[in-house]
Amino acid sequence: MYRKKRIIAVLLAAFMLALLVGCVGKFDAGGYTKSLLDVTYKNDTQQYIELTGSTKDAADKIFEKNLDATMEEFENLNLPDELENKYRQLFGDLIRNVKYTVSEAKEDDNGNFTVDVSIEPLTIFDDTYTDFQNQAKEYATQVSNDVMNGAPMPSDEEMQNHIYELYYEILNQDLEKGLQYGETEVITVHVNRGEGDIYEIPQEDMTALDEAMLSQTVLQ
């Protein structure tokens, strides 16, 4: 599919956060993991602020930075501002609709923890893949026929914008009619204690969570 891998790669860009103040009393690794996911994907900041001592403004920026990372590729495409803003709203809605359940943490002898996160992946890209392919082919055929009948060839920018507008409409329609989810996958997250009793989740674990949130079956 036209630029499909690039779009999904951006949407699934890894976002790692290693901010946590030293805990007082017993550290709630499960609660921390859930609060980190909630603030990153759903902009739900309350528990994160309570556990980390972060400000509301700083917590809000976590979600926005995650969304900014998603949109970096689109900024490089020089899409019309209106279309770029529509994609930002769409991806923000998708991120807020990811599904996960955080299990109780297990502590090892070194004071580190593992936490199982059960994820039901969004299947919107799988669900819309065939429709997008068909509509993109129809557009290519239309352009070819128009040119053969004497119409000027659209510029690369015009064709790119049309393709992304088409793809947006397909994704947005699927969002509006109700998102679907795939089979649950369990990701084991490590919450490791570092110097000064500061805990962090390794980047590779955050990447694994990201990649599980949205199904990539069509790319396999």
Side-chain angles (χ1 to χ4, degrees):
M1 185 187 342
Y2 185 81
R3 295 185 182 270
K4 181 66 178 295
K5 289 185 178 181
R6 297 180 68 188
I7 293 172
I8 293 182
V10 171
L11 190 59
L12 298 176
F15 181 79
M16 185 271 194
L17 181 72
L19 173 64
L20 181 65
V21 296
C23 61
V24 178
K26 186 172 178 60
F27 173 55
D28 181 6
Y32 170 61
T33 301
K34 184 177 185 304
S35 73
L36 179 57
L37 295 179
D38 287 349
V39 74
T40 301
Y41 293 104
K42 299 182 181 296
N43 199 25
D44 183 351
T45 62
Q46 181 177 353
Q47 187 179 20
Y48 179 81
I49 291 172
E50 291 175 358
L51 288 175
T52 67
S54 173
T55 65
K56 181 68 165 59
D57 182 61
D60 285 336
K61 287 179 180 178
I62 296 172
F63 178 84
E64 290 302 321
K65 287 180 180 179
N66 194 21
L67 194 52
D68 288 343
T70 298
M71 292 302 300
E72 283 180 1
E73 184 83 2
F74 287 84
E75 293 171 0
N76 295 333
L77 292 170
N78 294 317
L79 296 175
D81 289 343
E82 181 181 0
L83 182 55
E84 186 175 313
N85 289 336
K86 289 197 294 187
Y87 266 104
R88 186 179 182 88
Q89 179 64 48
L90 173 71
F91 288 153
D93 291 340
L94 289 180
I95 292 171
R96 289 184 181 92
N97 278 281
V98 297
K99 282 188 178 182
Y100 51 82
T101 302
V102 179
S103 299
E104 185 175 348
K106 299 177 181 178
E107 186 176 6
D108 65 19
D109 294 337
N110 297 317
N112 300 317
F113 298 84
T114 56
V115 182
D116 286 343
V117 180
S118 300
I119 296 172
E120 297 177 53
L122 279 167
T123 59
I124 186 170
F125 292 107
D126 294 345
D127 298 339
T128 59
Y129 181 71
T130 299
D131 190 19
F132 176 73
Q133 277 194 319
N134 291 339
Q135 292 195 39
K137 289 178 182 177
E138 289 175 4
Y139 173 62
T141 300
Q142 175 190 328
V143 170
S144 179
N145 290 339
D146 289 347
V147 170
M148 290 179 64
N149 290 326
M153 183 71 179
S155 67
D156 289 346
E157 182 180 4
E158 289 173 328
M159 289 188 289
Q160 172 187 270
N161 291 346
H162 183 89
I163 286 293
Y164 275 91
E165 182 70 50
L166 182 155
Y167 193 36
Y168 167 80
E169 292 298 335
I170 292 173
L171 292 172
N172 192 53
Q173 287 173 12
D174 203 68
L175 173 64
E176 289 180 346
K177 74 179 182 182
L179 293 169
Q180 303 296 314
Y181 297 84
E183 294 184 5
T184 300
E185 179 180 358
V186 178
I187 303 294
T188 298
V189 173
H190 298 82
V191 185
N192 299 326
R193 184 172 65 181
E195 295 182 5
D197 285 340
I198 295 177
Y199 289 82
E200 66 178 14
I201 296 175
Q203 183 173 356
E204 57 267 28
D205 288 359
M206 291 301 293
T207 299
L209 290 170
D210 271 333
E211 292 178 346
M213 294 291 180
L214 285 163
S215 175
Q216 303 177 76
T217 302
V218 295
L219 299 181
Q220 297 175 353

